[in-house]
Amino acid sequence: MTLFGLRVPMVASLVLWAALWEVVGQAGATILIPPLSHVLVRLVEIVPTESFAEALGLTARAFVLGTGIAVLAGVPLGVLMGRWEPADRLMLPWVNVFVSAPLSALVPVIMALFGFGELTIVLTVVLFAIWIIVLDARAGARAVSPSLSEMAQSYGAGPLQAFAKVYLRAALPEILAGIRLGLVRAVKGVIIGQLLVSVVGFGHMFEIYSSNFLMEHMWALLLVLFALAFAIDGVFARLEKRVEYYAAARQ
Amino acid sequence: MNRVVALRAGPAVAEPMVEVRGLSKVYPGGVEALSDITLNFPKGKLTTLLGPSGCGKTTLLKIVAGLIPASAGEVSVGGRKVTGPGPERAFVFQDFALLPWATVLRNVAFGLELRGTGRWEREATARRHIEEVGLKGFEDAYPHQLSGGMRQRVGLARALAVDAEVLLMDEPFSAVDEQTRRKFQEDLLALVAGKGKTFLFVTHSIEEAVYVSNRIVLLSRRPSRVSEIIEPDIPRDLPPDRIRRHSAYIDTVEEIWQGLKRYLE
Ligand SMILES: Nc1ncnc2c1ncn2[C@@H]1O[C@H](COP(=O)(O)OP(=O)(O)OP(=O)(O)O)[C@@H](O)[C@H]1O
Ligand SMILES: [Mg+2]
């Protein structure tokens, strides 16, 4: 970024906003916005606590379980849809609805069905992550060259062999791209799930802080969550580069 | 035209390996590709399907392969009715259809892998056929590291590795350069002579057809019927350059061209 002919590094804007936050907070305009320095002190206070570690553990577990289920169920479903017309007819309208639906609205339904526990959060993650994984796996399976599938058939491959030895592998670049997008959505799912369930994990901590009006704590926790989401996304971005490398090398 | 060698038409003397009876194919959407085709493919011979583009050669080959169903009529191979793909038939694809993520060795062994042959045995078989098609030393290469001609050799080795009696080849050499193609044609002649396998071959090239075939089936324009069957009477044991200069070769090429010309307008 350049301003008045001077090169300004991107961090500068971050520093500027932080300073603004500090000034507004120090001015004491509203108790909703405490000074940034106080928030940072709280942050250092909160992170080593046991409830934070517990919440982090729960989040990680729900995230891994949820994405695991989404991948294990979504990839085969997507490939099946891509290769078998009846399955596509049956499922595609639903997948298309869910992939763009406001899924947060469904979390209370899951809550009503499965209670206020970890299971609900895991299912929320699955709900958020699975559709894009299905769609991308489907696209990959449809793009498999017809002669490759004829080849498998003519050399005697049954449907399962064709799936495992040809379609899955041929669609791998698209499948991996879908999983990456699914993981990003899973981060949303795991946070939103906890916020709505609010008796476990970070959601529970939020609930306690907000009902006791602990604004400094709340902001500190928010900062942590944003940083976490940002870090996870960064890791996926690096992963995507590898996927792209793979796709380019194999085509 | 001064014909030196008589061209015999009609049924072949050898016992038929593939029999096509009353075969018709109408694609969904109404395209009538084949109409009441009856044909025999003699055992141990190479029969070429030749005809105008879009006349249904690929369709016929795929029905014989069991990849698509016929609308009417039936195909039998070795006396057994075709209902789907079978181990006695192997397909060589125009675009090679190799697994891009697998090595030459795995590609060649793929048919055996699908049949559940043990790793050691199928790789030994695959190595033998890789050597046979002249790709020794490339076992661990990937398809994208090979030239078009080499890729088709992999496709051929894969078909040979499953030891099918009938080889179905749909324009196998059309995607390789002219020089490689000539070498392929010579190798194919040796293969036909040495293996006793039955070949169903599709090409657009009249010269190629006359050079490699024991029997050439001319198909009419869609919906296609058999318009003529020609058995080039060319001594196959001559060296390649003598074959290409043999009067029977030249005359047959000309005769087929005259026969096909009327479909062009
Ligand atoms: N899956 C399909 N659905 C509908 N029509 C088809 C299909 N496949 C082929 N056809 C049509 O059937 C006819 C015969 O096709 P086919 O591919 O068998 O011809 P071909 O003789 O192999 O042609 P070429 O010499 O160009 O390879 C063509 O008119 C084609 O458009
Ligand atoms: Mg064709």
Side-chain angles (χ1 to χ4, degrees):
Chain A
M1 187 172 67
T2 52
L3 205 61
F4 308 120
L6 284 174
R7 270 189 53 80
V8 185
M10 292 300 267
V11 237
S13 83
L14 219 57
V15 173
L16 189 72
W17 286 109
L20 189 67
W21 182 349
E22 181 68 23
V23 171
V24 172
Q26 290 292 357
T30 160
I31 57 160
L32 289 179
I33 304 179
L36 179 61
S37 52
H38 296 196
V39 171
L40 291 178
V41 170
R42 289 292 174 225
L43 195 152
V44 174
E45 217 169 80
I46 292 173
V47 169
T49 60
E50 199 173 309
S51 59
F52 181 86
E54 214 173 88
L56 193 64
L58 181 132
T59 306
R61 209 163 52 228
F63 180 79
V64 170
L65 266 173
T67 46
I69 293 172
V71 168
L72 289 181
V75 171
L77 177 61
V79 173
L80 180 71
M81 287 169 63
R83 299 305 318 181
W84 196 47
E85 188 74 27
D88 204 39
R89 290 260 174 87
L90 192 68
M91 295 300 300
L92 188 62
W94 291 106
V95 175
N96 273 330
V97 164
F98 279 112
V99 84
S100 53
L103 296 172
S104 319
L106 282 178
V107 179
V109 179
I110 301 180
M111 229 146 56
L113 289 173
F114 298 98
F116 292 82
E118 222 178 313
L119 178 61
T120 295
I121 296 170
V122 171
L123 289 178
T124 306
V125 175
V126 176
L127 180 73
F128 272 69
I130 195 168
W131 311 111
I132 191 70
I133 294 177
V134 171
L135 270 189
D136 274 22
R138 172 182 178 270
R142 283 170 74 92
V144 175
S145 97
S147 79
L148 219 51
S149 89
E150 276 175 355
M151 186 278 289
Q153 229 186 312
S154 77
Y155 282 95
L160 273 180
Q161 277 183 316
F163 171 80
K165 291 182 190 288
V166 179
Y167 303 146
L168 205 58
R169 197 61 199 265
L172 200 57
E174 285 88 350
I175 289 174
L176 290 179
I179 291 176
R180 192 192 70 85
L181 293 174
L183 288 175
V184 174
R185 289 171 176 227
V187 175
K188 286 188 203 164
V190 78
I191 301 295
I192 290 173
Q194 289 184 54
L195 290 182
L196 293 180
V197 170
S198 77
V199 290
V200 285
F202 289 125
H204 187 46
M205 293 173 78
F206 264 112
E207 180 65 22
I208 291 171
Y209 297 156
S210 63
S211 59
N212 292 308
F213 244 68
L214 298 168
M215 283 304 139
E216 291 173 13
H217 289 74
M218 228 175 106
W219 282 107
L221 196 55
L222 264 180
L223 278 185
V224 172
L225 290 183
F226 273 49
L228 261 175
F230 195 72
I232 292 174
D233 198 45
V235 171
F236 296 157
R238 292 181 75 113
L239 209 82
E240 190 195 20
K241 282 219 179 85
R242 292 210 181 168
V243 173
E244 274 170 1
Y245 170 79
Y246 172 89
R250 284 288 186 267
Q251 291 308 300
Chain B
M1 196 169 72
N2 183 15
R3 212 175 294 160
V4 180
V5 178
L7 300 167
R8 283 183 292 121
V13 261
E15 117 190 54
M17 182 67 196
V18 178
E19 290 170 277
V20 172
R21 256 171 270 120
L23 199 69
S24 298
K25 176 69 187 179
V26 182
Y27 278 107
V31 177
E32 193 182 6
L34 302 172
S35 162
D36 194 20
I37 297 235
T38 299
L39 252 182
N40 286 338
F41 296 88
K43 190 172 186 158
K45 304 283 180 201
L46 188 148
T47 305
T48 293
L49 300 172
L50 200 60
S53 186
C55 76
K57 304 180 291 293
T58 299
T59 304
L60 179 53
L61 220 55
K62 282 186 182 170
I63 293 174
V64 174
L67 288 171
I68 54 176
S71 308
E74 63 171 42
V75 174
S76 56
V77 175
R80 267 208 307 258
K81 194 168 176 264
V82 165
T83 52
E88 76 287 356
R89 281 158 289 149
F91 211 102
V92 178
F93 293 83
Q94 180 175 7
D95 64 354
F96 322 134
L98 302 179
L99 305 173
W101 55 85
T103 60
V104 167
L105 185 63
R106 180 153 181 237
N107 266 296
V108 173
F110 192 64
L112 297 171
E113 181 182 336
L114 291 175
R115 288 181 192 178
T117 309
R119 190 191 178 104
W120 191 87
E121 192 187 336
R122 69 172 189 253
E123 290 193 348
T125 307
R127 279 177 204 285
R128 236 185 18 252
H129 290 286
I130 290 170
E131 184 168 359
E132 187 180 4
V133 299
L135 281 182
K136 194 172 166 57
F138 290 93
E139 287 84 354
D140 297 321
Y142 287 89
H144 68 92
Q145 299 168 317
L146 306 178
S147 71
M150 290 159 89
R151 287 184 211 181
Q152 193 54 293
R153 288 179 185 276
V154 177
L156 188 61
R158 176 176 59 196
L160 294 174
V162 293
D163 200 24
E165 286 164 76
V166 178
L167 283 143
L168 306 163
M169 310 176 100
D170 189 6
E171 299 187 40
F173 309 148
S174 67
V176 304
D177 64 88
E178 180 60 28
Q179 288 132 50
T180 312
R181 192 175 176 139
R182 287 192 171 224
K183 182 77 176 72
F184 261 122
Q185 293 165 0
E186 289 167 18
D187 292 354
L188 186 58
L189 272 187
L191 211 59
V192 176
K195 290 264 177 180
K197 292 185 189 300
T198 307
F199 291 77
L200 274 63
F201 188 84
V202 170
T203 178
H204 272 136
S205 158
I206 299 174
E207 282 82 3
E208 179 167 282
V210 178
Y211 185 77
V212 301
S213 314
N214 302 108
R215 211 157 176 260
I216 301 170
V217 176
L218 295 185
L219 296 171
S220 69
R221 222 163 27 194
R222 191 163 59 81
S224 80
R225 301 162 179 280
V226 178
S227 80
E228 207 177 335
I229 295 178
I230 294 170
E231 298 193 4
D233 210 352
I234 301 166
R236 295 289 167 198
D237 43 6
L238 293 177
D241 60 314
R242 294 274 312 275
I243 293 184
R244 289 189 208 273
R245 274 181 295 158
H246 200 280
S247 59
Y249 171 83
I250 296 168
D251 290 348
T252 312
V253 168
E254 188 54 30
E255 157 154 347
I256 292 174
W257 167 233
Q258 294 304 333
L260 284 179
K261 216 150 99 175
R262 63 195 139 114
Y263 296 125
L264 283 180
E265 254 83 74

